[in-house]
Amino acid sequence: MSGRDFILSTIRRNLRRGPLPEDQAAMLRGRLNSHPRQLIPARSRLPRPEQVALFIANVEKEFGSVARLADLAAVPGAVADYLAQHNLPPAIVMAPHPELRAIPWSDRPLLRLHEGRAEGSDQVSLQHGFAAIAETGTLMLPAGPERPTTINLLADTALVFLRASRVVGAYEEAWDLLRAEHHDALTGGFMPRNVMLVTGPSRTADIEQTLELGAHGPRRLHILLLDDDEAARAAA
Amino acid sequence: MLATSPAFKENAVHALAEPGLQKALARTKPHFHAKRASAVAALPEFEQLRDIGRNIKNHTLAHLDFYLETWEENVKRAGGQVHWCATAEDARAAVLAICQKAGARTVTKGKSMISEEIALNEHLERHDITPVETDLGEYILQIRNESPSHIIAPAFHLNREDWEESFRRAHTDLPADRVFHERRDIMTEARTKLRERFLAADVGITGANFLIAETGSSVIVTNEGNGDLTQTLPRVHIVLASIEKLVPTIEDTISLLRLLARSATGQDFSVYTTFSTGVRRADDLDGPAEYHVVLLDNGRSAMLGSPFQEMLRCIRCAACMNHCPVYSVVGGHAYGWVYPGPMGAVLTPTLIGIDQAGNLPNASTFCGKCESVCPMKIPLPKMMRHWREREFERHLSPQAVRTNLALWGFVARRPGLYRLVTRIGAAALGWLGRRRGRLSRLPLAAGWTKGRDLPTPEGETFFVRYARAQRRGRGAA
Amino acid sequence: MLQTSPRVALFVTCLVDLHRPTVGFAAIRLLEEAGCQVEVPRAQTCCGQPAYNSGDRATARDLARGILDAFGGYDYIVVPSGSCGGMLRHHIPTLFDDDPNLRARAEALADRTHELVSFLTDILGLERVAAKFSGSVTYHDSCSGLRELGIKAQPRRLLAAAGAEIREMADPEVCCGFGGTFCVKYPEISTRMVSDKADDIAATGAETLLAGDLGCLLNMAGRLKRQGSAVKARHIAEVLAGMTGAVPPIGEAG
């Protein structure tokens, strides 16, 4: 008897039934297809400006940092300033995303950017954020040719470009965006190979329960938040 | 991993006297308590989420066969392979076969309790494959050849001196006289060493916190990022997961994730929560070319329909052991195997047998704190009691205990006899303690009197005094 | 408040019976003061916890049968113990899963069963007792009473109303290490747990330790005395009934 047969038959025997009758199976398939939400905590059910503010507050609580930028033109300067502030070399591996390419990098010619996946030698990376979740200050970074996973992991300093319009309140809303916008050719579904939900820089508390940043992943996480959402801008 | 659970009592006595461990426990306990309490206080919906979590898992378990089949279909659709393993031996063989086929020499590992359960590392080493633990806590344990003492903070029992000493001993290519000014220096050294290993590994093995039926995905939850480096960089990714990790949908998983980090470390969410679905896609720039799930049963299917079914709801958060007053004073190694604390007390006998693990469900006062903090509302004391019933039925409890219980039971069933025996006992003990109201020593009571005095009774029983009061025509004495 | 005088059966508990009858009489006084008519069925011995928690379901069931028979026909059953109260309310019904009739009787009994202090406050609506008690106390929350029966605020309310100064431990809810047979099966662990508890008690500076469970109290008093502590340990019923003069503190001679 194969492992599969053994496991499935033991499960059924102990549940005192054979394979699920078709009507029950259909019901379960229906549930999978409709993937109902359960309770969504109230904490992120806020007006847009407060939602974005909550996102920022949560990122900072988790040792990340956020620079709020008025337009794309401000991005190169913000990046250059951040690197200078932290004494980091101006060499960045950048995710090959069209929106990142569209940033006017030539405004800061000293910044050296190369596109592609990250390697062990990269010190600074720039990722394009697909969405972000205010509930806990979390970035949703799905893998793809435009967003290699290694960009999230290998460099000591991880920069992430994120549009404020892509900040949602709860995780469910971010997953809804992925379901709606991403098509995976291999499976015919919406899941890419990998979706990373990232909340702050890497850390450990393994040594005497003391928090230290930069365990294996990036020690710094800096978000370049483009204020592209009129409704999300705080009242003056 | 060889179980020393039969020696729990001796292990515990040793642990109570071990200064390094006690220092670590004193540091760790309040930390975990405070963090969880503050995370729970900050989420008003936490209690409702516990009910939701319990219901999701109960629903899944009641239809586990369906969800496993659906999940498998989706794994395959994403180019992955599923290896169904009934036993630990099957799982070891499956992992080895994948590694050998890949020509692996070094294998990086994210933290996986299943890999401890099946004793994977020794098996790989016996076949000339080097497993490298990458979770910082597991890494140092590997260097020290020690087993984990906690399911999410495996090396909590170590103090800073232990880390420094072990690193000096193991990292011989670095200057022996180097100074670790801060804890950060220890971490940085590990980061550098392990980065080389991450980049060189042929195969990466992770566990899975959840397996999602809807998409055929595996989910890992880490703070270090080691799990992600383990599963993204090598050409082959192996997920080691047991069957009860199944969850129906992404939305179901989100509800459980809202409970997990808060219950475990008091974070709202862990730093890296990653959903993996199959192999590198055609135009991806990184990711593994092979994705395997070694799916382990090892006694779980047998728990369905049994009094231990509810244990299958466990999401391995460790809240129970963090709050257990017994674990808090003896630590994890005393339990003698992979899973310590209250969840270990229930699970270990199902995996290695009650005859080996009998001490574990007995070493509990049934205070109920574990159940009160369990995010999945698992009735842990009830299941520990079930184990005690099994032991009793199988005559596994010590004969002296059975005899005493039988004698006591005989008397307690007979109120008349009970009145007589208690009258004599109260008078005798009361007389013995008449001078001070307590005894420092009493034959047959050494267990009690070793550390405590034994307060002695008033000298007559309630019923004697009550009967006298009734005769005098009054209700109260 | 109830109109008629409720008929209450006192479940004495084996520890009160054997060790400290004054607690039983204190319970009777409190109940009678509150307007109850108290009887003590003679055919009672033990709630069966020692057997139940040792896995001897058969003995536990036999004892439970006896309790069903002895305690039928009362408005309430009141117990000066959280653990025995929990046994009667939550566990005994589960011993009769195979017999719907007995199960129904057990559930009916469970519904009418209450721990002493919570009965006074939650059922009879008492805000204060007649007795006064000045002096500092610390209250230990016995595990079953706290987690199975929800007893937490009630004893503190009555104590404060009686004039006691309550000094809380850092961890009043942590198990004292008694656990029935646990304390003799794993004495080293138990002794460590009760030592930690004793340190916590000492740190409050309270003169008196109170709790609602004699098992816990014997354990804690035993450790306190071994340490030479001057802290007095009593069952809360003795204080609330104004009967502290009737018996010395636990582990002390008259």
Side-chain angles (χ1 to χ4, degrees):
Chain A
M1 185 188 266
S2 71
R4 188 180 193 276
D5 289 339
F6 172 83
I7 292 170
L8 290 174
S9 64
T10 309
I11 290 171
R12 286 169 182 147
R13 187 172 62 248
N14 288 328
L15 291 176
R16 300 197 201 300
R17 56 165 174 76
L20 272 187
E22 178 48 35
D23 60 332
Q24 285 191 46
M27 206 167 63
L28 295 184
R29 280 196 295 273
R31 187 181 184 279
L32 288 171
N33 290 333
S34 62
H35 49 85
R37 295 175 172 187
Q38 287 100 32
L39 176 152
I40 295 187
R43 57 165 51 180
S44 67
R45 324 265 99 249
L46 298 167
R48 279 300 283 157
E50 280 87 324
Q51 230 174 31
V52 173
L54 178 66
F55 170 72
I56 296 172
N58 279 328
V59 170
E60 291 171 348
K61 176 163 83 83
E62 295 306 328
F63 310 101
S65 54
V66 182
R68 225 167 159 165
L69 307 172
D71 50 34
L72 276 184
V75 176
V79 170
D81 290 346
Y82 183 83
L83 296 181
Q85 200 187 331
H86 290 93
N87 244 339
L88 291 167
I92 306 169
V93 59
M94 186 179 90
H97 193 283
E99 285 200 351
L100 294 181
R101 288 183 188 135
I103 291 168
W105 296 111
S106 53
D107 289 357
R108 283 285 191 276
L110 289 178
L111 289 175
R112 296 189 316 275
L113 299 114
H114 67 278
E115 277 189 5
R117 57 159 282 167
E119 301 296 343
S121 49
D122 288 306
Q123 294 206 343
V124 184
S125 64
L126 174 62
Q127 180 59 281
H128 183 276
F130 173 81
I133 299 130
E135 191 179 330
T136 50
T138 301
L139 295 161
M140 176 181 261
L141 306 174
E146 299 174 342
R147 290 192 188 90
T149 304
T150 45
I151 296 272
N152 308 331
L153 295 168
L154 286 174
D156 218 32
T157 299
L159 308 174
V160 180
F161 171 84
L162 177 71
R163 290 176 171 279
S165 57
R166 302 294 289 187
V167 175
V168 299
Y171 304 112
E172 287 83 350
E173 295 166 278
W175 285 100
D176 280 350
L177 285 175
L178 192 68
R179 288 177 190 280
E181 297 176 9
H182 187 83
H183 176 75
D184 178 54
L186 177 61
T187 60
F190 67 92
M191 281 295 253
R193 179 193 72 78
N194 172 300
V195 179
M196 287 186 68
L197 298 180
V198 178
T199 312
S202 153
R203 76 199 59 174
T204 180
D206 274 339
I207 304 168
E208 294 193 328
Q209 300 307 312
T210 309
L211 195 69
E212 297 289 345
L213 300 179
H216 293 296
R219 172 191 341 235
R220 280 179 218 94
L221 178 71
H222 183 66
I223 298 173
L224 305 150
L225 184 66
L226 182 68
D227 255 322
D228 67 333
D229 185 352
E230 190 65 53
R233 286 191 201 137
Chain B
M1 182 178 150
L2 189 65
T4 67
S5 312
F8 172 84
K9 206 163 157 178
E10 294 75 19
N11 295 342
V13 170
H14 177 76
L16 286 166
E18 216 196 305
L21 171 64
Q22 291 301 321
K23 179 169 140 196
L25 283 166
R27 174 181 60 231
T28 308
K29 181 182 83 165
H31 174 90
F32 275 131
H33 284 201
K35 301 225 79 177
R36 177 192 175 272
S38 120
V40 168
L43 187 68
E45 298 92 345
F46 189 79
E47 272 310 305
Q48 287 171 264
L49 278 168
R50 286 177 78 200
D51 286 331
I52 288 168
R54 178 199 57 208
N55 296 344
I56 289 170
K57 275 286 180 176
N58 281 348
H59 167 82
T60 310
L61 292 168
H63 305 96
L64 189 59
D65 54 333
F66 170 86
Y67 283 118
L68 279 168
E69 288 178 314
T70 306
W71 165 81
E72 182 194 32
E73 266 172 50
N74 284 315
V75 173
K76 286 168 153 176
R77 189 168 295 135
Q81 300 170 56
V82 179
H83 311 259
W84 298 69
C85 299
T87 66
E89 194 189 322
D90 294 337
R92 284 193 294 268
V95 174
L96 181 64
I98 298 165
C99 290
Q100 285 174 332
K101 187 147 172 249
R105 282 157 315 155
T106 316
V107 169
T108 42
K109 291 187 66 210
K111 199 164 82 59
S112 161
M113 297 313 292
I114 297 289
S115 83
E116 300 282 341
E117 189 184 313
I118 67 172
L120 180 65
N121 286 2
E122 298 90 274
H123 189 69
L124 291 176
E125 282 159 359
R126 268 201 298 277
H127 290 87
D128 297 319
I129 296 173
T130 307
V132 178
E133 295 291 347
T134 65
D135 172 276
L136 215 56
E138 294 283 356
Y139 177 68
I140 192 172
L141 293 179
Q142 190 175 36
I143 291 175
R144 292 170 68 91
N145 200 23
E146 274 183 44
S147 54
S149 66
H150 187 284
I151 62 173
I152 63 159
F156 89 89
H157 59 283
L158 298 177
N159 294 297
R160 184 169 160 174
E161 316 78 82
D162 305 315
W163 285 84
E164 295 181 13
E165 183 268 327
S166 297
F167 274 21
R168 278 189 212 290
R169 208 173 10 92
H171 301 156
T172 49
D173 56 333
L174 294 173
D177 56 357
R178 68 193 180 287
V179 178
F180 296 97
H181 294 286
E182 297 170 6
R183 291 181 194 90
R184 180 158 197 83
D185 300 331
I186 302 172
M187 184 193 72
T188 308
E189 185 168 309
R191 179 193 169 100
T192 313
K193 284 269 156 230
L194 284 166
R195 184 54 76 92
E196 299 162 14
R197 314 299 283 233
F198 281 125
L199 294 167
D202 308 300
V203 173
I205 301 179
T206 65
N209 293 80
F210 305 105
L211 300 173
I212 308 179
E214 180 197 351
T215 54
S217 307
S218 52
V219 181
I220 60 168
V221 168
T222 73
N223 283 312
E224 295 177 21
N226 63 306
D228 295 89
L229 288 166
T230 298
Q231 68 179 19
T232 293
L233 294 176
R235 206 178 53 80
V236 176
H237 175 204
I238 303 175
V239 179
L240 264 183
S242 46
I243 58 175
E244 83 281 15
K245 295 295 169 74
L246 251 293
V247 178
T249 67
I250 298 263
E251 280 73 8
D252 295 329
T253 308
I254 291 168
S255 291
L256 295 173
L257 285 168
R258 285 192 174 107
L259 290 165
L260 178 58
R262 289 182 169 97
S263 303
T265 59
Q267 295 168 277
D268 288 347
F269 216 57
S270 70
V271 178
Y272 300 106
T273 301
T274 304
F275 297 65
S276 297
T277 314
V279 299
R280 177 175 181 153
R281 304 298 194 258
D283 45 9
D284 281 351
L285 296 180
D286 49 27
E290 286 179 41
Y291 174 88
H292 298 260
V293 183
V294 172
L295 183 73
L296 179 68
D297 183 351
N298 203 26
R300 282 129 173 107
S301 60
M303 288 165 72
L304 287 169
S306 84
F308 305 102
Q309 170 162 334
E310 296 185 271
M311 194 59 219
L312 294 170
R313 297 205 292 267
C314 178
I315 59 174
R316 305 293 193 265
C317 72
C320 59
M321 63 193 75
N322 287 341
H323 291 81
C324 173
V326 172
Y327 181 96
S328 299
V329 297
V330 303
H333 284 152
Y335 292 79
W337 201 56
V338 178
Y339 302 105
M343 57 80 65
V346 176
L347 188 61
T348 306
T350 67
L351 300 179
I352 70 172
I354 186 64
D355 44 345
Q356 285 275 294
N359 268 304
L360 272 49
N362 276 289
S364 167
T365 62
F366 289 164
C367 80
K369 185 69 181 175
C370 53
E371 182 175 359
S372 76
V373 296
C374 174
M376 307 301 286
K377 293 198 161 178
I378 300 172
L380 292 156
K382 180 173 92 165
M383 289 189 287
M384 289 186 230
R385 192 181 292 110
H386 275 310
W387 279 124
R388 297 184 189 186
E389 286 166 16
R390 294 270 171 104
E391 274 191 306
F392 191 83
E393 283 160 23
R394 291 176 48 189
H395 291 243
L396 289 173
S397 5
Q399 188 53 48
V401 170
R402 288 188 73 87
T403 307
N404 287 342
L405 215 48
L407 274 171
W408 172 87
F410 182 87
V411 176
R413 282 179 180 82
R414 296 163 175 78
L417 177 59
Y418 188 88
R419 297 278 95 85
L420 179 63
V421 170
T422 49
R423 182 179 184 147
I424 295 170
L429 284 168
W431 183 81
L432 280 174
R434 67 199 180 285
R435 209 168 43 82
R436 295 188 309 149
R438 60 187 183 273
L439 296 168
S440 308
R441 265 184 309 282
L442 184 70
L444 304 177
W448 181 285
T449 56
K450 189 152 176 235
R452 294 161 279 229
D453 285 351
L454 179 66
T456 46
E458 291 184 46
E460 59 179 1
T461 64
F462 174 89
F463 280 96
V464 164
R465 197 182 291 173
Y466 187 71
R468 190 168 62 241
Q470 295 287 75
R471 283 195 302 274
R472 289 182 192 156
R474 289 183 302 141
Chain C
M1 276 302 276
L2 301 156
Q3 305 285 45
T4 56
S5 181
R7 273 186 75 227
V8 172
L10 182 71
F11 191 96
V12 177
T13 80
C14 62
L15 283 179
V16 167
D17 176 34
L18 178 71
H19 198 280
R20 204 164 173 88
T22 302
V23 173
F25 289 102
I28 293 174
R29 176 183 287 190
L30 284 166
L31 291 164
E32 287 180 345
E33 260 171 22
C36 299
Q37 196 188 316
V38 184
E39 290 174 36
V40 188
R42 235 190 116 68
Q44 59 176 292
T45 57
C46 172
C47 70
Q49 271 185 85
Y52 183 60
N53 288 333
S54 299
D56 182 0
R57 235 175 128 81
T59 299
R61 201 175 181 282
D62 286 347
L63 293 175
R65 268 311 300 266
I67 293 170
L68 292 185
D69 292 337
F71 284 85
Y74 292 94
D75 295 325
Y76 300 101
I77 296 94
V78 175
V79 192
S81 158
S83 64
C84 307
M87 183 70 196
L88 263 57
R89 273 192 77 92
H90 293 301
H91 299 290
I92 280 183
T94 68
L95 290 168
F96 300 111
D97 281 342
D98 57 326
D99 187 326
N101 177 47
L102 287 175
R103 171 106 202 192
R105 283 177 62 196
E107 280 170 3
L109 188 83
D111 267 345
R112 283 178 273 125
T113 301
H114 299 274
E115 179 275 342
L116 173 67
V117 173
S118 57
F119 179 72
L120 297 172
T121 56
D122 300 348
I123 306 298
L124 298 185
L126 237 59
E127 312 247 313
R128 54 175 31 81
V129 293
K132 293 275 166 261
F133 185 87
S134 61
S136 55
V137 308
T138 191
Y139 188 85
H140 164 76
D141 294 302
S142 299
C143 300
S144 302
L146 174 69
R147 296 190 185 98
E148 291 186 330
L149 303 178
I151 297 161
K152 175 75 182 181
Q154 305 94 319
R156 288 166 171 84
R157 250 197 337 265
L158 291 182
L159 286 169
E165 178 205 346
I166 300 175
R167 297 197 191 174
E168 294 285 359
M169 292 181 231
D171 292 308
E173 295 182 6
V174 169
C175 183
C176 72
F178 176 64
T181 51
F182 173 87
C183 64
V184 292
K185 281 198 292 206
Y186 298 96
E188 301 86 358
I189 304 175
S190 174
T191 301
R192 167 62 192 276
M193 289 166 75
V194 75
S195 306
D196 288 351
K197 177 65 63 168
D199 290 344
D200 203 356
I201 291 165
T204 66
E207 291 156 359
T208 302
L209 165 70
L210 298 177
D213 267 79
L214 254 194
C216 307
L217 285 161
L218 291 174
N219 184 41
M220 294 185 289
R223 180 64 189 173
L224 286 164
K225 289 304 160 205
R226 176 63 59 92
Q227 286 179 334
S229 166
V231 171
K232 299 187 272 263
R234 290 183 179 280
H235 190 287
I236 186 177
E238 303 166 34
V239 166
L240 295 179
M243 287 174 67
T244 53
V247 66
I250 296 170
E252 292 182 23

